Amino acid sequence: MADKPNSVLLPMVAAAVFAGLGRMVLQKIKADRLARENRVAGPMDEKTRQWISDVVRTPRQ
């Protein structure tokens, strides 16, 4: 009996998926580290806090 040829497509797709997921994880780690170092979300004054609260609570029409 002749051996069944193995498909190369499945391992290639699996490698591409894992590479993509790994890249996304590394980008997330770098972005979190950068945001933590630069303190993007710093302390807010009361006026800014009140404005955000008003914008979030006000229903849109």
Side-chain angles (χ1 to χ4, degrees):
M1 289 189 26
D3 288 330
K4 182 178 173 184
N6 291 335
S7 174
V8 182
L9 182 62
L10 185 60
M12 298 265 301
V13 170
V17 168
F18 284 122
L21 289 174
R23 183 171 178 236
M24 287 172 44
V25 168
L26 289 177
Q27 285 178 342
K28 174 73 171 141
I29 290 171
K30 287 180 183 179
D32 288 349
R33 187 175 297 155
L34 187 64
R36 193 176 337 118
E37 289 174 358
N38 291 336
R39 293 191 162 275
V40 172
M44 290 183 275
D45 61 349
E46 187 58 36
K47 182 179 176 185
T48 305
R49 191 175 310 228
Q50 185 62 41
W51 177 79
I52 292 173
S53 179
D54 291 343
V55 169
V56 171
R57 290 183 186 166
T58 305
R60 295 188 180 202
Q61 297 175 0

